[in-house]
Amino acid sequence: MCRFVLSTLAFILILGLGPAKAGPDAVTVGVLNDLSGVYADLGGQGSVAAAEIAVEEFGPSVLGKPIKVISGDHQNKPDVGAQLARRWFDIDNVDMVIDFPNSGVALAVQEIAKTKKKVAIYSTAATMDLTGKACSPTGFQWTYDNYSNAAGVASALVKKGFTSWYFITVDYAFGLSLEAEASKAVKAAGGSVAGTARHPLNTPDFSSFLLQAQSSKAKVVALANAGGDTVNAVKQAHEFNIFESGQTLVTPVTFITDVHSLGLAVAQGLTFVTGYYWDLNDQTRAFAEKFYKRRKAMPTMAQAGVYSGVLHYLKAVKEAGTDDGLAVAEKMRAMPVRDAFTQTGTVRADGRMVHDMYLVEVKKPSESKAPWDYYKVLATIPAGEAFKPLAESDCPLVK
């Protein structure tokens, strides 16, 4: 009973502190994410800023209506996220919701948005179910997913001789999906999984999980988590001398804010896949400059994905001539995605936006020439190879 009361109070506080109602005479984008917890750095207020930049680039209105951006904190709780999304749709006339750095929250909102015929864009939620068995005509997975960030790295490392893996996995939909996709790739390449340790979200102490990983003697210790959990686990892995003992630490889902928090002395050598890096080309640098002026930090791939998703949505509203969710979603699938996030994007029938991804390695301190100069791009993974083939999708929308 107490837990229910506390959860309800938290939800009431969110509503009380939130922005004013958007009203029916506006096209309103709702950024729903973690504003205060373990995923706040990789999304948070930075995602709100990215959405605002997209609106500024598009223009202040569409179809004669002003464009508004509002935000809310789902606290990494599916019930809180679902309640807030339902209120936004039913009372505040929100037309589209975006971001969701929590797969559990994303899956809960997916069903609500589907029922309400509202567009939902998942820039940060990585579970494969969003474009698989739980896919929706109005749901889109935008920036990355557990296949794009796990399969490529796992397969490449096994082929280089890193054949035995141990997973330290955050125990909810995101981590379990990431572990599953990486495990499939490891085994398909001829490797093996020595074991798994599951940890709660936002745990401060990884000592027991790291000791289990060391005891396994696996060549690779893979962190199937993200954000603050990844940062804490990497720091503690250094304290436990994971590297000195001959094991390799792999962090499939890593953000530039994670590297910034760790520092290059600790993060150097980490290899992973990203959908965006601010220093790739003139367009990525132009967006990053606008973002940096607001946030005094470079954008993560999740934040850049929010920018891209909002911009594409607004373009589709204009082309469709309506803000009806189903009509806009159909137009989103028909239009190519061309912006500062990607020049290669297309949207598939299952709602997966496919685009080039990048295999990167964190630089040594001596290699970094300026603040936020953190990545070496090792390879470009073409859009057609970076994501799970549509033919293998279990989305009911795929015929």
Side-chain angles (χ1 to χ4, degrees):
M1 181 66 178
C2 290
R3 183 177 299 175
F4 172 78
V5 171
L6 287 172
S7 178
T8 303
L9 282 172
F11 176 61
I12 291 170
L13 285 172
I14 290 171
L15 298 182
L17 293 173
K21 295 179 185 178
D25 297 323
V27 172
T28 305
V29 172
V31 181
L32 186 54
N33 66 14
D34 178 356
L35 292 169
S36 56
V38 66
Y39 299 140
D41 282 351
L42 63 89
Q45 291 291 349
S47 289
V48 180
E52 291 171 346
I53 292 170
V55 172
E56 288 175 5
E57 288 189 9
F58 180 84
S61 64
V62 63
L63 307 182
K65 299 179 180 181
I67 303 167
K68 297 185 179 181
V69 176
I70 66 173
S71 61
D73 189 344
H74 60 46
Q75 300 180 26
N76 292 300
K77 298 176 181 178
D79 60 336
V80 172
Q83 287 174 318
L84 187 50
R86 188 174 285 109
R87 177 186 172 88
W88 277 0
F89 293 148
D90 290 345
I91 300 175
D92 297 338
N93 298 296
V94 170
D95 298 282
M96 183 270 276
V97 288
I98 192 166
D99 203 8
F100 304 95
N102 183 297
S103 291
V105 176
L107 289 168
V109 173
Q110 177 91 312
E111 285 304 307
I112 297 169
K114 180 179 179 180
T115 300
K116 304 291 183 182
K117 297 180 174 59
K118 299 286 189 175
V119 171
I121 303 174
Y122 307 99
S123 180
T124 322
T127 177
M128 301 299 294
D129 287 348
L130 287 168
T131 49
K133 61 184 181 181
C135 70
S136 164
T138 57
F140 300 89
Q141 200 163 18
W142 209 254
T143 307
Y144 72 103
D145 58 34
N146 284 334
Y147 182 96
S148 69
N149 279 54
V153 170
S155 179
L157 288 175
V158 171
K159 290 175 183 177
K160 289 184 178 181
F162 297 90
T163 52
S164 57
W165 288 56
Y166 189 95
F167 289 92
I168 297 177
T169 303
V170 61
D171 194 10
Y172 79 100
F174 156 65
L176 301 179
S177 174
L178 180 58
E179 178 192 314
E181 293 301 324
S183 296
K184 288 177 190 175
V186 167
K187 294 172 183 177
S192 62
V193 176
T196 298
R198 303 269 166 80
H199 71 83
L201 180 67
N202 202 21
T203 185
D205 185 5
F206 285 86
S207 58
S208 64
F209 311 118
L210 290 166
L211 286 170
Q212 292 175 56
Q214 281 186 315
S215 298
S216 74
K217 306 298 183 183
K219 293 182 179 180
V220 173
V221 177
L223 302 181
N225 54 25
D229 282 334
T230 297
V231 170
N232 285 334
V234 172
K235 287 179 178 177
Q236 291 173 43
H238 275 264
E239 295 170 3
F240 278 81
N241 298 316
I242 289 288
F243 302 96
E244 288 80 355
S245 65
Q247 292 179 302
T248 296
L249 192 66
V250 172
T251 57
V253 179
T254 306
F255 299 85
I256 198 167
T257 46
D258 302 332
V259 175
H260 189 71
S261 295
L262 289 166
L264 293 182
V266 173
Q268 61 181 310
L270 290 178
T271 302
F272 48 89
V273 173
T274 185
Y276 170 89
Y277 179 47
W278 70 269
D279 202 20
L280 283 173
N281 54 52
D282 289 343
Q283 288 180 303
T284 58
R285 285 187 286 270
F287 168 68
E289 183 179 355
K290 295 177 184 177
F291 186 91
Y292 189 87
K293 287 179 179 178
R294 291 173 179 259
R295 301 295 303 164
K296 304 306 177 188
M298 289 302 178
T300 66
M301 68 167 168
Q303 292 159 344
V306 168
Y307 155 84
S308 174
V310 171
L311 193 57
H312 191 72
Y313 168 78
L314 294 173
K315 290 176 181 178
V317 170
K318 181 180 179 180
E319 289 297 313
T322 176
D323 56 4
D324 173 77
L326 288 172
V328 174
E330 183 177 354
K331 188 63 66 173
M332 287 176 68
R333 284 177 167 84
M335 297 168 56
V337 183
R338 301 290 184 269
D339 51 45
F341 174 75
T342 181
Q343 288 293 304
T344 62
T346 56
V347 185
R348 302 190 318 198
D350 60 354
R352 171 72 264 173
M353 196 273 277
V354 297
H355 52 87
D356 291 352
M357 299 287 284
Y358 306 95
L359 180 67
V360 301
E361 179 182 298
V362 178
K363 293 181 175 182
K364 299 175 183 178
S366 60
E367 295 173 321
S368 178
K369 305 304 180 184
W372 298 90
D373 176 24
Y374 291 160
Y375 295 172
K376 290 186 289 186
V377 178
L378 304 179
T380 298
I381 306 172
E385 300 175 13
F387 296 91
K388 187 175 182 177
L390 185 60
E392 297 177 15
S393 173
D394 55 357
C395 170
L397 300 174
V398 178
K399 297 179 182 180

